[in-house]
Amino acid sequence: MNPLTRRQAATGAATFGIASLLRSPAMAQTTPDLILTNGRFTTLDRANPAPEAVAITGGRFSAVGEASEILPTAGPTTEVVDLRGRRAIPGLIDSHMHIIRGGLNYNLELRWDGVRSLADGMAMLRRQVQDTPPPQWVRVVGGFTEHQFAEKRLPTLDELNAAAPDTPVFILHLYDRALLNRAALRAVGYTRDTPNPPGGEIQRDASGEPTGLMLAKPNALILYATLARGPKLPPEQQLNSTRHFMREMNRLGVTGVIDAGGGFQNYPDDYEIIQKLHADGELTLRIAYNLFTQKAGEELQDFSRWGQMVRPGQGDDSLRHNGAGEMLVFSAADFEDFREPRPEMPPEMEGQLETVVRKLVENRWPWRLHATYDETITRALDVFETVNRDQPFQGLHWFFDHAETISDRNIDRIAALGGGIAVQHRMTFQGEYFVERYGARAAERTPPIRRILAAGVPVGGGTDATRVASYNPWVSMAWMVTGQTLGGLRLYPPANRLDREEALRLWTEANTWFSTEDGKKGQIKTGQLADLAVLSDDYFSVPEDRIQDIESVLTLLGGKPVFGAGDFAPLAPPPPPVLPEWSPVRRFGGYQRRADSGRQQRLAAEAVTSASRAGCGCGTACGVHGHDHASAWGAALPVSDLAGFWGGLGCACWAV
């Protein structure tokens, strides 16, 4: 009997040699709490890249090396976990998402993230309409693009009205448009007399009545302001919602997030939920949060007031303040709707931005600034260079977010000022629109990640979830490696793609610079925080097309399991029941796996059968199937192109 098996027998441990979770504080000083063995460890520590075993003591990696040296250090309360040859990596860190705001609403939202056909998405929507009580809405809020669907289109307003004649439905597509059915228009009170807001359009029919299509032209405020009119969860359900969103991130191997603030997320009021979860010890992510100014014309007052309330770094390793942004002043916000022409920033931008940046440097606040276009970056750098001459930045970690069209000259200017660039995979959702407007050649550098790295500028990976791109980090890494959109369009030549290790580094150790936590986490290395993910598939050997399907089967935060699946499920605490009971998360979960397409087809059949009993409720009977659409939706479809899609169905059931 080998030592692992003897220890399991002696302690009566569960699968993989799990001992009691109760540990002696005294023993924790001399023996590990946890040992991981028989895994393929990618440490990202160049001095120790592929060890055989890892020990964790007191929430940190205490030994990383040979199994023959680490296994004998186990004590009677040490848990020993056999990873069965699976790949283990440092816990992933998202340098830009909106976890705090997203958590408040996660249980309210039906996710089309990962759904591969509009037929499946509409089947899910119909099912959710049946479950949603008045006056609640059915909301699909970002995380998808029409290009990921086999049909290559969004639902029509007629389809939404047929699917939900009485339940309000709101669908947000990227930053460019929202679709509302008639019930939602009634709920928000939009009529022929409702004026268009600046930079937005309420589309109207020939008689002047709103159709339900809201367009950003290019300001997305109309989209977000409309969404904000919907019912909110009560605080106890917001707590539950945030816990489930964090667990969803853990399921994907994420252990850390830098929250970029967001509209309708004011400090400190909208941070009470995350603060309570932190106080109660229920955070399963490490969160560093930036503060995002909320009202045009009052930006300086916001940062002056907040400077007296909180300081950068305040908090602990679980929840800490990270500085200002991504909105510093409204006059510097360029909108990333590539269906619209590039917006020109107003002439007052420089003066307003300089006033705020001077205050931030004076208070030694790091900052981040949303900037899509090189023209905006040029003007912002003019301001930063002016301030730096009078008030040297002296190591402040400041950076731009997005930077899709940044020029070589501005990359070098950022390097000279000691700044960084956080990149997100927005182009995998919007690349087709960019190419339509600016051409394939211009799209090859959106952004020029390799050129930025070559200049020595810190680069971090992220998603910008949840209202544009999906929060799935593996979709982002697939984009970095393949250079492709979700619709299959190849954007980048090999010279602007990363290899798999480079992409993983941007999602782990590189992101610690953006929260001023260099060397504290991001590697499997002695002394660092013991955040780690064991993967469902080997990231380094799966085909490129399958990178986006990877998940975690075991996620550790500070050495404690926060998620487990399959044989590893007994290691992690179970999630609380989803609240409210009608939540889309209870039935559908979050990101939709491609492997679950059969389940989606069954849901489609269930939804149509139920609708048939009630007179179907669809707007169009198919000439082949009548109202028995389920037989078409339940088929395995050749959907690699539109011709195949039509041939596979042979009918109009897709349009129902």
Side-chain angles (χ1 to χ4, degrees):
M1 183 180 289
N2 64 41
L4 263 179
T5 308
R6 283 198 301 270
R7 187 175 305 109
Q8 291 170 6
T11 61
T15 306
F16 302 147
I18 307 164
S20 170
L21 293 177
L22 300 175
R23 304 183 179 99
S24 163
M27 287 296 291
Q29 301 301 312
T30 57
T31 61
D33 299 316
L34 176 67
I35 292 176
L36 306 177
T37 187
N38 193 23
R40 284 176 286 179
F41 295 96
T42 297
T43 66
L44 299 181
D45 176 6
R46 291 185 172 89
N48 186 19
E52 294 178 339
V54 170
I56 297 170
T57 308
R60 294 180 180 268
F61 296 116
S62 54
V64 181
E66 301 293 326
S68 60
E69 297 177 356
I70 292 176
L71 287 172
T73 68
T77 59
T78 300
E79 300 173 30
V80 179
V81 178
D82 183 337
L83 299 186
R84 302 287 180 91
R86 290 189 180 274
R87 178 70 61 183
I89 62 171
L92 301 177
I93 304 167
D94 191 327
S95 64
H96 182 135
M97 74 172 295
H98 301 272
I99 188 78
I100 297 174
R101 182 183 66 192
L104 301 179
N105 301 292
Y106 177 70
N107 283 3
L108 285 174
E109 296 172 358
L110 177 68
R111 306 305 306 177
W112 280 358
D113 304 41
V115 175
R116 304 298 165 157
S117 79
L118 180 59
D120 283 343
M122 288 298 291
M124 295 166 66
L125 187 143
R126 283 187 179 83
R127 177 69 262 182
Q128 187 57 40
V129 166
Q130 296 174 23
D131 292 346
T132 302
Q136 295 293 339
W137 298 9
V138 175
R139 315 169 207 222
V140 181
V141 184
F144 77 98
T145 171
E146 63 179 323
H147 298 291
Q148 77 193 43
F149 295 147
E151 300 91 331
K152 305 296 183 184
R153 70 174 183 90
L154 296 174
T156 68
L157 293 170
D158 286 343
E159 289 164 356
L160 291 184
N161 287 318
D166 301 310
T167 303
V169 172
F170 176 99
I171 298 178
L172 176 68
H173 180 253
L174 305 175
Y175 288 121
D176 67 355
R177 64 196 55 215
L179 305 176
L180 283 71
N181 67 349
R182 282 190 289 268
L185 286 173
R186 291 193 297 269
V188 300
Y190 290 170
T191 69
R192 63 186 304 135
D193 299 321
T194 304
N196 286 333
E201 178 185 337
I202 302 173
Q203 192 181 74
R204 303 168 197 274
D205 62 20
S207 65
E209 295 292 339
T211 64
L213 177 61
M214 311 289 155
L215 297 173
K217 285 190 166 292
N219 191 329
L221 180 61
I222 179 62
L223 313 182
Y224 300 151
T226 303
L227 176 62
R229 291 172 177 253
K232 295 178 174 58
L233 293 174
E236 65 274 13
Q237 294 184 2
Q238 289 180 336
L239 288 165
N240 181 277
S241 177
T242 301
R243 289 184 65 185
H244 277 278
F245 192 21
M246 290 190 296
R247 184 178 174 85
E248 170 75 348
M249 300 306 300
N250 300 151
R251 181 177 72 85
L252 297 168
V254 177
T255 57
V257 166
I258 307 176
D259 185 276
F264 301 92
Q265 186 182 331
N266 199 19
Y267 184 84
D269 298 348
D270 295 318
Y271 290 72
E272 291 178 353
I273 296 298
I274 205 71
Q275 293 284 5
K276 177 169 174 51
L277 289 169
H278 175 242
D280 292 345
E282 293 182 338
L283 293 184
T284 62
L285 293 172
R286 303 189 191 279
I287 299 174
Y289 61 91
N290 288 73
L291 297 185
F292 182 115
T293 188
Q294 294 294 305
K295 188 173 181 181
E298 297 183 10
E299 299 95 336
L300 181 60
Q301 293 94 311
D302 275 345
F303 292 118
S304 297
R305 181 175 70 258
W306 292 336
Q308 298 173 359
M309 299 171 64
V310 64
R311 66 183 184 278
Q314 183 173 320
D316 57 27
D317 291 336
S318 294
L319 183 66
R320 63 197 304 276
H321 177 232
N322 197 51
E326 63 182 293
M327 180 77 80
L328 298 183
V329 294
F330 279 76
S331 56
D334 59 2
F335 302 101
E336 59 283 18
D337 180 359
F338 298 130
R339 285 181 162 179
E340 294 291 322
R342 177 184 64 84
E344 190 67 45
M345 298 300 94
E348 63 267 22
M349 168 187 159
E350 282 82 357
Q352 293 178 353
L353 184 59
E354 181 176 342
T355 301
V356 167
V357 172
R358 286 189 182 278
K359 173 60 68 174
L360 296 176
V361 177
E362 176 186 330
N363 290 340
R364 303 303 297 167
W365 271 44
W367 72 86
R368 62 192 309 160
L369 180 62
H370 164 109
T372 302
Y373 297 99
D374 188 58
E375 290 82 354
T376 308
I377 294 170
T378 295
R379 293 175 62 180
L381 284 171
D382 291 343
V383 171
F384 295 169
E385 289 167 346
T386 297
V387 175
N388 182 62
R389 283 193 291 269
D390 302 331
Q391 300 170 263
F393 294 170
Q394 293 180 330
L396 272 181
H397 287 204
W398 68 271
F399 55 97
F400 286 105
D401 282 302
H402 316 312
E404 275 88 356
T405 71
I406 191 170
S407 64
D408 288 351
R409 177 175 179 270
N410 281 339
I411 293 171
D412 294 337
R413 293 172 74 191
I414 292 170
L417 282 174
I421 299 175
V423 300
Q424 299 81 38
H425 63 314
R426 304 190 309 181
M427 287 296 289
T428 202
F429 293 82
Q430 303 184 89
E432 285 85 354
Y433 303 136
F434 189 96
V435 170
E436 287 173 10
R437 179 167 294 277
Y438 299 108
R441 185 65 181 272
E444 291 179 355
R445 291 170 45 98
T446 53
I449 298 178
R450 279 212 171 277
R451 173 63 174 83
I452 299 168
L453 289 168
V457 173
V459 181
T463 61
D464 200 11
T466 58
R467 291 183 174 177
V468 55
S470 172
Y471 51 73
N472 190 332
W474 301 103
V475 177
S476 171
M477 278 183 272
W479 164 73
M480 291 177 176
V481 170
T482 68
Q484 287 184 309
T485 69
L486 281 177
L489 176 65
R490 180 85 71 179
L491 295 173
Y492 310 138
N496 196 36
R497 298 180 217 157
L498 304 183
D499 66 37
R500 299 189 194 202
E501 181 175 318
E502 290 171 323
L504 182 60
R505 286 186 184 276
L506 295 196
W507 265 90
T508 50
E509 61 168 334
N511 274 340
T512 63
W513 184 91
F514 294 85
S515 58
T516 318
E517 296 176 286
D518 315 56
K520 181 180 287 189
K521 56 187 179 181
Q523 297 171 296
I524 301 175
K525 185 175 182 179
T526 301
Q528 291 202 10
L529 294 168
D531 303 341
L532 176 146
V534 181
L535 304 182
S536 59
D537 295 283
D538 190 344
Y539 168 65
F540 289 99
S541 63
V542 297
E544 286 187 349
D545 181 60
R546 287 180 53 197
I547 292 174
Q548 62 184 288
D549 297 324
I550 293 174
E551 300 174 0
S552 176
V553 295
L554 177 64
T555 304
L556 305 181
L557 186 75
K560 296 182 179 180
V562 291
F563 177 81
D567 292 332
F568 296 93
L571 286 169
V578 176
L579 298 175
E581 291 187 357
W582 54 265
S583 167
V585 174
R586 181 180 284 261
R587 180 178 293 275
F588 298 106
Y591 188 88
Q592 299 293 300
R593 304 174 176 95
R594 280 194 285 188
D596 287 346
S597 59
R599 180 178 69 90
Q600 292 168 1
Q601 290 167 2
R602 288 193 298 274
L603 286 166
E606 177 186 344
V608 172
T609 300
S610 178
S612 297
R613 295 194 187 104
C616 185
C618 74
T620 306
C622 165
V624 176
H625 301 95
H627 288 280
D628 185 18
H629 313 290
S631 60
W633 284 354
L637 303 178
V639 293
S640 59
D641 56 45
L642 285 178
F645 181 74
W646 277 95
L649 287 178
C651 67
C653 279
W654 66 273
V656 176

